[in-house]
Amino acid sequence: MIENSVKTQFFDKTSTDRNLIKNTFLTTTQDAFNEAIKGNKTKLFSIIDEISSLENSDEDSNEQLILWMETFSKIVSNFTKEFQDLVGIILDINWVIRSSEFAIVYSQFLENLVSAHAFYMFPVAERLINLLCWKKPFENPRATLVSDPSVTPKIACDRVHAVLKRIISLIPSGPSFLITPIAEAFPDKFQDIKYQLWYLRNILKMIEYIPVLKEPIMSLIVEKIIKIDVEIQVEIEDMDDQDITDLQNLVFKMEKNDIDESSVEENSLNEKTQQDLINFDEINDNDENGFLFEELTEEDSNVKGMVEKLDGMLNILFDYISKLNAEERDDMFEILMEIFQKTILPTHNSRYTQFLVFYLCSYSPVYVNNFICLLAQKVLTPSVPSVIQVASAAYISSFVARAKYMEIAPVKTILQLLTRFALNYVEQNEHRLGSVLNPKQYMIFYSVVEAIILIFLYRWRTLMENDGNGISYGQLPPEMKGLDRIIQSRFNPLVVCNRGLVEEFAKLTHNLEIMYCYSIFENNNYSFIKNKRHKKASKKPKIKMHDLKGSDEEDDDENNDDSDDSEEDDDDEYDDDNDSEEEEENELPETLLPFEPYQLKNSCHFIENIYQNWTPITGDEDDSDIESDVTDNILAMSISPMAPPAFNWINNYPA
């Protein structure tokens, strides 16, 4: 191969002599390729060994590698599939941490290689994308020997992005193939937070110069985030109350759901409008930045770590959305609607991922209208799977209740639509009821009634304003005309629906002198409902993450309830043994309201000012627990026999 004396002479000669030596390298390398084509690969193997030894050398091999890369660039047409071994060795060179001179020469070789041989695009792109992982180029123990001290992780990633941008423009078939290596390189959900956030920022940056990948990349990101989100909920459901309280105090937002809205708005003015949770130049291996966790068990610490990953990833995405221009946001909304239908809506126990839609909708009333229309259409279309209908009803009620930016006109429209649907449902199906009611057969009806109640509980002040002259007492808003007929129907929704929700509705309507509902669900007559056991229904539901208050008063109440619950369990033990199979068949499943109070510490500032917190109806002491009651799990329902309405839902609603 190239004699060491020749290589040594190269670095000692003038520019004229160097050109001569370059020509010698070129001639020798070309000869090796020609011999390999004829079947003699001895010289080719020598080149491979030399490149490999230079990459692994403890000495400074930068100049020699530059010479080789310049030579290879000139004969790049020779790198057919027969020479993939040599190409593999070249691609394994840790080039991004070396000097800028070598990075330029190497980048040029990659561009020439892909331009001459399109089949090398995938392995080249795969290696480039892997270099976008957190400090991937710096993990090699020898990295400090060959790296340029001025090359930071951010500079290394910038080099990768620059090469990717140039080589993608050379491929006429488009960059859609990149999503596979992007997905494969995505850090596992159990990896440290810095790996997640670093890679997330890098693939979002790819969207800037490869916009066609925006939808698949966003879809991939949401899939990864929602897996972490659901994993957290599953882990928390398995914890006991004390562990949940400890986790709440150490991880989640310390502000509670019933905080004073005026103080939130005042404090937000004094905070930074943007929070960069992680910065390319500032992150390092020893900087835990609040990610240290010593007080919980290993299992609970794992939950805490996942919460921080979820918080950090959502923080980055909120920030990314906030910096989009109007046209880019329109495009992002269309993409998120597709992702919402495909990934978020069908996912049970997602707690925070859906706030991406909630936040984006705050930028335009058009987004709000389109989102609500999408959900309403799913609720009212019989061909939609029942689980999606029920989830859509929960999304409607929770969104309308919590979106502070939602104007009153669409609130009235959706409330009128849901009320007409429920009323029409009663008129068409009440005569089919027998002596025993199985609520599971009419779950979509109950889910819609619960949506109506929840929306009214949060929006009643605006709905009942009398042309600026205060609250109009004595009657429901016109959009809810017929609700009394629905409540008094044989479906008995106030008995079947969520007890905490119904009690709050009864309290509100009584205070507003509209109706007296207590007698309906306080008569304790549950015998007409199949497998409905009053004692079970009245028990306090299992604590969920978003129900946590952390107050001593609530803990005392829970302790006092324990004895009562145990007595009830003893009383029901015999019934449980005999009716377990029948109970499981007819028990109404539960689902979380999608937009419950946002408790993630770092990303919460994006949500606080657009989120409607619960406002107590009166100043009575018993209102302190209203939020807990209202946010209990809404019962999941079933499918409606209604035909899909016309586009103008109100005016063309089927009679």
Side-chain angles (χ1 to χ4, degrees):
M1 208 48 255
I2 308 295
E3 297 294 336
N4 289 333
S5 59
V6 175
K7 291 185 288 184
T8 303
Q9 292 175 22
F10 175 79
F11 303 109
D12 297 334
K13 297 295 183 179
T14 64
S15 59
T16 302
D17 293 332
R18 289 188 178 186
N19 289 334
L20 179 60
I21 295 175
K22 285 183 179 181
N23 291 333
T24 303
F25 264 72
L26 181 59
T27 302
T28 305
T29 305
Q30 183 66 64
D31 182 57
F33 273 84
N34 292 336
E35 290 290 328
I37 292 175
K38 296 177 182 180
N40 182 9
K41 295 187 177 182
T42 304
K43 294 182 179 179
L44 180 65
F45 290 148
S46 297
I47 293 178
I48 293 175
D49 292 340
E50 186 162 349
I51 298 298
S52 181
S53 64
L54 288 173
E55 169 65 6
N56 297 315
S57 174
D58 292 337
E59 301 177 359
D60 184 7
S61 57
N62 205 54
E63 293 291 342
Q64 298 176 61
L65 284 173
I66 288 177
L67 180 59
W68 278 114
M69 298 315 302
E70 290 177 340
T71 302
F72 292 148
S73 291
K74 293 177 181 178
I75 59 171
V76 71
S77 60
N78 292 341
F79 284 85
T80 58
K81 291 185 178 181
E82 299 176 78
F83 301 100
Q84 292 186 64
D85 292 340
L86 176 58
V87 172
I89 293 296
I90 296 172
L91 295 181
D92 287 338
I93 295 176
N94 197 354
W95 63 279
V96 292
I97 62 174
R98 293 180 178 268
S99 66
S100 59
E101 293 81 8
F102 179 77
I104 292 172
V105 174
Y106 189 90
S107 301
Q108 188 61 53
F109 167 76
L110 292 182
E111 293 176 43
N112 293 341
L113 178 67
V114 171
S115 180
H117 307 286
F119 53 83
Y120 282 122
M121 172 54 101
F122 187 84
V124 169
E126 185 178 36
R127 281 169 169 80
L128 289 174
I129 290 170
N130 279 324
L131 292 174
L132 296 176
C133 296
W134 166 242
K135 285 194 172 182
K136 186 75 172 180
F138 298 87
E139 290 179 348
N140 191 313
R142 294 189 56 264
T144 56
L145 300 174
V146 300
S147 64
D148 184 335
S150 65
V151 177
T152 64
K154 182 181 184 303
I155 292 176
C157 286
D158 287 345
R159 289 177 173 180
V160 175
H161 286 298
V163 176
L164 268 174
K165 182 178 181 179
R166 290 196 296 267
I167 66 174
I168 288 301
S169 64
L170 301 174
I171 303 300
S173 60
S176 58
F177 71 94
L178 284 176
I179 196 62
T180 298
I182 290 173
E184 291 176 349
F186 208 109
D188 185 85
K189 64 182 178 181
F190 296 110
Q191 283 190 271
D192 193 84
I193 183 174
K194 57 177 172 282
Y195 292 92
Q196 307 282 343
L197 306 191
W198 182 269
Y199 190 74
L200 176 57
R201 284 193 181 276
N202 272 300
I203 60 176
L204 286 174
K205 188 173 183 178
M206 289 181 64
I207 295 176
E208 297 176 7
Y209 56 88
I210 318 178
V212 71
L213 291 182
K214 181 183 293 186
E215 182 173 358
I217 285 180
M218 287 302 301
S219 180
L220 172 66
I221 291 171
V222 171
E223 287 175 7
K224 296 295 182 179
I225 288 178
I226 207 167
K227 286 181 180 179
I228 297 175
D229 195 353
V230 172
E231 180 78 16
I232 292 170
Q233 311 314 314
V234 172
E235 293 288 343
I236 286 180
E237 286 181 356
D238 293 336
M239 291 183 179
D240 58 39
D241 293 350
Q242 185 58 49
D243 284 342
I244 295 178
T245 302
D246 293 341
L247 189 68
Q248 166 80 4
N249 294 333
L250 289 168
V251 179
F252 297 108
K253 219 171 135 314
M254 297 307 295
E255 291 83 4
K256 301 302 177 232
N257 302 337
D258 53 357
I259 56 178
D260 183 9
E261 292 186 28
S262 60
S263 64
V264 171
E265 296 177 357
E266 181 179 351
N267 293 335
S268 66
L269 296 177
N270 300 323
E271 297 177 355
K272 295 187 302 180
T273 56
Q274 301 295 339
Q275 291 187 5
D276 290 328
L277 180 63
I278 185 170
N279 184 282
F280 278 126
D281 292 322
E282 294 176 357
I283 188 170
N284 59 73
D285 290 319
N286 298 321
D287 181 17
E288 295 296 337
N289 252 350
F291 300 138
L292 190 62
F293 199 53
E294 299 176 347
E295 302 185 31
L296 296 182
T297 64
E298 180 179 353
E299 179 182 358
D300 297 343
S301 179
N302 178 52
V303 175
K304 184 258 183 186
M306 287 192 293
V307 169
E308 288 171 339
K309 293 170 194 172
L310 178 65
D311 189 9
M313 296 174 81
L314 287 174
N315 191 61
I316 290 174
L317 286 176
F318 288 143
D319 182 67
Y320 176 79
I321 292 173
S322 71
K323 295 176 180 177
L324 299 176
N325 59 41
E327 183 178 353
E328 291 170 335
R329 278 198 298 269
D330 288 345
D331 188 31
M332 180 60 69
F333 179 78
E334 294 297 326
I335 290 173
L336 272 184
M337 286 299 96
E338 291 295 326
I339 295 173
F340 175 80
Q341 296 180 75
K342 182 181 69 173
T343 304
I344 300 177
L345 182 59
T347 301
H348 179 66
N349 258 357
S350 172
R351 173 71 175 84
Y352 290 104
T353 311
Q354 54 267 26
F355 275 92
L356 291 170
V357 176
F358 188 91
Y359 177 68
L360 182 56
C361 283
S362 68
Y363 281 91
S364 171
V366 175
Y367 301 161
V368 174
N369 183 66
N370 290 346
F371 182 52
I372 293 297
C373 286
L374 171 69
L375 293 170
Q377 189 173 27
K378 291 185 179 298
V379 171
L380 303 175
T381 303
S383 60
V384 173
S386 60
V387 65
I388 299 299
Q389 286 187 301
V390 171
S392 298
Y395 267 96
I396 288 176
S397 60
S398 189
F399 182 84
V400 175
R402 295 297 195 174
K404 186 186 291 187
Y405 50 81
M406 188 172 180
E407 300 173 354
I408 190 60
V411 173
K412 292 181 177 180
T413 300
I414 192 63
L415 194 57
Q416 184 176 8
L417 171 67
L418 294 176
T419 305
R420 288 190 179 186
F421 170 86
L423 182 60
N424 198 11
Y425 193 95
V426 169
E427 298 298 335
Q428 291 190 0
N429 295 279
E430 188 176 29
H431 67 279
R432 301 177 183 177
L433 297 178
S435 58
V436 177
L437 172 66
N438 183 358
K440 198 170 183 179
Q441 295 180 359
Y442 310 100
M443 289 191 295
I444 186 60
F445 167 77
Y446 294 114
S447 68
V448 169
V449 173
E450 286 186 326
I452 295 170
I453 293 174
L454 186 65
I455 292 172
F456 182 65
L457 288 176
Y458 275 84
R459 297 283 186 169
W460 67 270
R461 289 176 176 85
T462 311
L463 289 168
M464 299 190 66
E465 282 184 355
N466 186 17
D467 297 328
N469 297 322
I471 302 300
S472 177
Y473 286 82
Q475 60 182 0
L476 287 168
E479 294 78 19
M480 300 175 68
K481 182 180 180 181
L483 184 62
D484 53 344
R485 168 72 176 94
I486 296 169
I487 290 175
Q488 297 173 27
S489 70
R490 294 181 61 203
F491 284 100
N492 278 282
L494 295 189
V495 177
V496 177
C497 290
N498 181 274
R499 184 61 181 263
L501 200 64
V502 168
E503 288 177 350
E504 189 58 32
F505 176 75
K507 178 180 180 180
L508 175 59
T509 53
H510 179 62
N511 289 350
L512 295 175
E513 303 174 4
I514 296 175
M515 63 179 71
Y516 186 82
C517 300
Y518 290 105
S519 59
I520 297 178
F521 58 85
E522 286 184 345
N523 58 15
N524 296 328
N525 182 18
Y526 288 81
S527 59
F528 72 97
I529 301 178
K530 189 175 183 180
N531 292 323
K532 183 79 174 181
R533 289 178 294 178
H534 179 55
K535 287 184 178 181
K536 284 280 185 178
S538 64
K539 288 178 64 178
K540 186 172 182 178
K542 183 177 180 180
I543 296 176
K544 296 293 189 291
M545 181 170 69
H546 55 282
D547 294 325
L548 298 174
K549 296 291 182 183
S551 65
D552 295 334
E553 180 180 354
E554 183 174 2
D555 292 339
D556 293 339
D557 291 341
E558 291 174 13
N559 293 333
N560 293 336
D561 288 341
D562 287 344
S563 59
D564 295 337
D565 290 346
S566 61
E567 292 177 5
E568 291 174 355
D569 290 341
D570 292 339
D571 293 339
D572 289 339
E573 183 176 358
Y574 179 78
D575 293 337
D576 285 344
D577 293 338
N578 288 276
D579 299 336
S580 59
E581 293 184 4
E582 192 175 5
E583 177 80 10
E584 182 178 354
E585 178 184 354
N586 297 286
E587 183 180 355
L588 296 179
E590 291 185 341
T591 183
L592 299 179
L593 289 172
F595 299 111
E596 286 307 274
Y598 195 96
Q599 296 177 325
L600 299 180
K601 291 180 179 179
N602 289 289
S603 54
C604 65
H605 65 99
F606 287 101
I607 303 299
E608 285 177 333
N609 291 331
I610 60 175
Y611 188 82
Q612 179 64 52
N613 291 294
W614 172 254
T615 303
I617 298 170
T618 68
D620 298 336
E621 291 182 359
D622 59 349
D623 287 330
S624 60
D625 290 331
I626 289 176
E627 178 75 12
S628 179
D629 290 337
V630 174
T631 58
D632 282 343
N633 294 341
I634 184 173
L635 297 178
M637 308 299 175
S638 185
I639 193 167
S640 164
M642 294 295 302
F647 178 76
N648 188 334
W649 293 333
I650 299 302
N651 296 332
N652 296 284
Y653 195 84

